[in-house]
Amino acid sequence: MNPNQAPRTRIRLRYGKSGRIRFTSHRDVARIWERSLRRTGLPVAQTEGFSPRAKLHFGLALATGYESDAEYLDVDFKCGEMAVEEVLKSLVDVLPDGIEATGGAVLAPGAMSLQQAVTICDWDIELLDVAAGDLAQWVDQVLGAATLMVTRERKGQKITDDLAPQVRALEVGEPTSRGVRLLATLGTQPRAARPSELLAAQEPVHRPVLIRRTRQWIEQDGARLEPLMVGAAPVQHTLVGVQ
Amino acid sequence: MSLWPELELVLPEVSKPARYIGGEGGMATPEHHPSKVAWLLAYPDTYEIGLPNQGLQILYEILNERDDSVAERAYAPWVDMEAEMRAGGLPLFSVDTHRRAGDFDVLAFNLSAELVYTNLLNCIDLAGAPVRAEHRADDDLLIGAGGHCTYNPEPLADFVDFFVLGDGEEVVSEITEAVWDWKRSGKKSRQSVLRALAAIEGVYVPSLYDVAYDGPALVSITPRYADVPAVVEKRTVADLAAWPYPKQQLVPLTEVVHDRLNVEVFRGCTRGCRFCQAGMITRPVRERPAEQVRTMVADGLARSGYDEVALTSLSTADFSGIEEVVSATMDCGAGEVSVSLPSLRVDAFTVGLAAQIQRARRTGLTFAPEAGSWRMRQVINKLIDERDLYGAVESAFSQGWRRMKLYFLTGLPTETDVDTLAIGELARNCVELGRAHTKNPSVTVSLGGFVPKPFTPFQWFGQNTVSELQRKVFLLRDDIKRNRGVQMKWHDPKASLVEGIASRGDRRIGRVIEEVWRQGGTFQEWSEHFDYDRWTQAMAKHGLSVDWYVHRHRTEDEVLPWDHISAGLHKDFLWQDWRDALNEVGLEDCRWTPCYDCGACTGYSIEHIVASAVPPAGGSQGTGQVPTGYQPPEEVSVQLSGIGARSST
Ligand code: SF4
């Protein structure tokens, strides 16, 4: 049988990453998902070729060391129907501490990939080296700046970008037990702006102790959709144990 | 108690922070208690090299299963992390609960390579204990070490309180009991615990021995007390079936070497390759029952989620009924499971397993003929027939492989340029065989400099000099250059020299190791940190001759630094085997032929446990273990499709 014609179900899963496991890389997390899905015994579709791998499609990479409430991946199953509840339930015991699947939805055929579809992310940034008042001033400066030039290195080349259009929202949040909190909404297209770049874009440069992605959004016709909410009907939407 | 809040602030600053987080699948959650002996099991290299170490994982499980002990793990912090730790006053810590090393009773190292010795010193120092054993207070950490390198413990004798020789499964409990007596008494007397440890079979406490020299020559190593053994015997687990460990192999969160399920199918090897220390010191052969292997594979795959299994041993194709075990393995798991057979013998590849291979993962394929000429292979007792090698290579190419790697040693006893050049000839012939099947066949020759090891027939042989090894490397390189299909890689001869200093050094070499460490010489097994000059300068500074330690042939009557250690092997057996080597006389595998009384079984009243009474098909002999060099050889990886595999139409 031609594998292209085999029945397939694509499920989008949302998961969190927190605690010590935040120091694993995006690649490490991909391997953790491969092993965990194998342990569930669910019929995950495989790539063709000499070393077949599970067909997993990851969204935006999360930098090593960041936490998140809102990571996503799309998993292809080699069957016509697959219940989201069943997938979420079988993941409970196999995912390592710190990675928790918190929701899922069956995607309509032809749904845009995560990397293309997501346009903005919300970030929660904890800082210890600044007082709340000074941070508020810093926020005003960032929001007032006409341009925010940041330089990064890519393949040995220095590239300079203007971060200003990517800063969609910025405010000082409730203090944490040990420091202050900065809440930011940053654009992801054509290239995802990183919180570390934001912190370096305006003097004085702040050193974060913890950065957490709290939401990813797909902007559609002026509305903000959570990535589980997109796609044509029928879409199942299940949320379990969101913390 | 936990250092995590402090580590959390440091980890964003270092490379590969996942090295320090622990959290592996199968990790223990030990409950420390004043009535339990706390072990910190350390591997003196990076996390990704150390995590898969099976010996360490086995002891970790056994100690955590006991009521009276707990165990956690530590690995050498990479240089950037060490700098952060020293700057922030952070000590060596466990990755399990991030507890400081000083909160444990015992810090025990696994030693599998000589070049990590300076890392051992560094870890002791980071743990907050004095580096020299003599400077430790009564209640300081007890420093232990086990693993293959401890068969010559002398270079580390000044730094380690106790060494463990041989299999650790049983002795680790006896040590725990001795340590508990010390702990219960408020750690009042270090001498008393050292004496108690020395009374345990398989445990060597170097501070209880006097060493006498006559000029450069070692005269004797003798116990200071009547109840301390003159010769320390190794420990051997008689039956592997009684120890189905690790039961919960650790599944790391980040990438490590050998990142797959590893199931040890047998321990010991009697192929008798004369350069191979591992084969000599782990005798006799003890196979795990095939049924237990199947269970361990099935359970391990189910709980780990791995899709690759390595059936490990020193020469896995020798396992009785290997084909049945491999086919049972491919039936495990939900989808496709690939099986790695480290140290695959070439004859078994053609005749045995090839028949089963339908879908091969066409990455790399490695064979280890070890020497280029038949004469040389007789000297080293690696009796691989050239026809067997060509047969294996032929079938690999015919099954679609385009590249393979061949492992060789240079600097072997009696080696001439004819032998060295024969390596090139073999490689060229392999490429020629490949041309019949593929347009661009490629053969990589990997060449390691031979370092003689204790408890082998070659322990008396004077190692080749750096310039001689370098000359041979270039001779072969120039010979091979003309052939497009043959590539060559080689191990740095200078690293072989340093390995040689530690491999057969005596207690005086400890000063050199300490000197190199004090000058910042850690991670010497990593080429970017290896510093040859530091070693040779430290030798000169302490009045020690490289030539005397490394390049000199030893005589039959010479006292060797490990004469007070016993791996069971009779010294006269090894000497006879050394004479046989020089006479190009081979020796058969005693697993299937009568015993020649090397001492490994006879001395301990144990026997081989081998299910098959006959050698595997193929007939000729040979193991695939390269004892020298740092990088473990790439393995033969054979992928087999499981039930319900894709159809090919
Ligand atoms: S004692 Fe005999 S049977 Fe045992 S390993 Fe030595 S030679 Fe072989």
Side-chain angles (χ1 to χ4, degrees), chain B residues 14-16 19-20 45-49 75-85 119 122 126 522-529:
Chain B
V14 303
S15 58
K16 300 192 184 177
R19 284 168 167 168
Y20 312 104
D45 203 335
T46 61
Y47 178 81
E48 54 272 35
I49 306 286
Y75 305 89
W78 189 245
V79 287
D80 58 351
M81 182 65 172
E82 186 197 339
E84 293 284 344
M85 287 162 66
N119 280 9
N122 202 39
L126 280 169
T522 55
F523 289 102
Q524 294 297 286
E525 69 288 15
W526 293 73
S527 55
E528 68 261 46
H529 289 288

Side-chain angles (χ1 to χ4, degrees), chain B residues 454-523:
Chain B
F455 296 105
T456 66
F458 291 169
Q459 65 182 355
W460 289 280
F461 173 65
Q463 183 175 330
N464 278 192
T465 60
V466 170
S467 56
E468 177 66 355
L469 285 177
Q470 197 70 66
R471 188 188 67 78
K472 287 173 178 171
V473 166
F474 289 155
L475 178 74
L476 184 59
R477 184 197 58 183
D478 292 344
D479 177 63
I480 274 174
K481 244 191 330 214
R482 281 174 272 127
N483 191 307
R484 224 166 19 94
V486 185
Q487 282 81 41
M488 186 172 144
K489 286 182 186 158
W490 60 89
H491 192 65
D492 181 1
K494 290 177 173 170
S496 300
L497 180 117
V498 172
E499 194 183 327
I501 292 173
S503 164
R504 292 186 296 168
D506 56 31
R507 210 170 271 208
R508 291 169 290 196
I509 293 297
R511 298 172 211 154
V512 174
I513 294 168
E514 185 175 356
E515 177 89 26
V516 172
W517 166 66
R518 288 207 182 276
Q519 294 186 19
T522 55
F523 289 102

Side-chain angles (χ1 to χ4, degrees), chain A residues 20 22 27 31 35 38, chain B residues 8 21 252 254-255 259 305:
Chain A
R20 60 168 123 181
R22 72 188 168 97
R27 210 177 119 92
R31 297 161 58 85
R35 283 198 305 262
R38 263 199 299 272
Chain B
E8 208 175 15
I21 63 175
T254 188
E255 199 166 358
D259 199 0

Side-chain angles (χ1 to χ4, degrees), chain B residues 245-308:
Chain B
Y245 290 87
K247 293 172 182 166
Q248 311 231 20
Q249 187 190 306
L250 294 169
V251 183
L253 298 173
T254 188
E255 199 166 358
V256 299
V257 303
H258 309 318
D259 199 0
R260 59 186 179 208
L261 183 68
N262 295 295
V263 175
E264 185 184 28
V265 295
F266 67 87
R267 203 173 285 178
C269 179
T270 44
R271 286 277 168 186
C273 299
R274 292 178 173 128
F275 56 85
C276 179
Q277 185 192 39
M280 294 288 168
I281 61 177
T282 58
R283 295 171 170 219
V285 174
R286 290 144 292 152
E287 287 189 353
R288 194 181 290 291
E291 190 48 44
Q292 193 178 58
V293 171
R294 279 192 282 268
T295 313
M296 288 175 75
V297 167
D299 293 352
L301 286 174
R303 60 160 288 278
S304 68
Y306 279 125
D307 63 348
E308 186 184 348

Side-chain angles (χ1 to χ4, degrees), chain A residues 1 19-24 27-28 31-32 35 38-39 41 48-52 64 96 128 178 207 209, chain B residues 4 8-9 11 13 18 21 23 27 95-96 98 251-255 259 302-305 307 362 639:
Chain A
M1 187 167 43
R20 60 168 123 181
I21 210 167
R22 72 188 168 97
F23 290 108
T24 55
R27 210 177 119 92
D28 292 333
R31 297 161 58 85
I32 289 168
R35 283 198 305 262
R38 263 199 299 272
R39 285 179 65 192
E48 299 298 311
F50 287 126
S51 39
T64 302
L128 297 191
R178 52 181 180 177
R207 216 182 105 176
V209 289
Chain B
W4 183 252
E8 208 175 15
L9 300 179
L11 290 184
E13 310 302 320
I21 63 175
M27 184 181 83
V95 297
D96 310 71
H98 300 100
V251 183
L253 298 173
T254 188
E255 199 166 358
D259 199 0
R303 60 160 288 278
S304 68
D307 63 348
R362 279 155 203 176
Q639 179 157 7

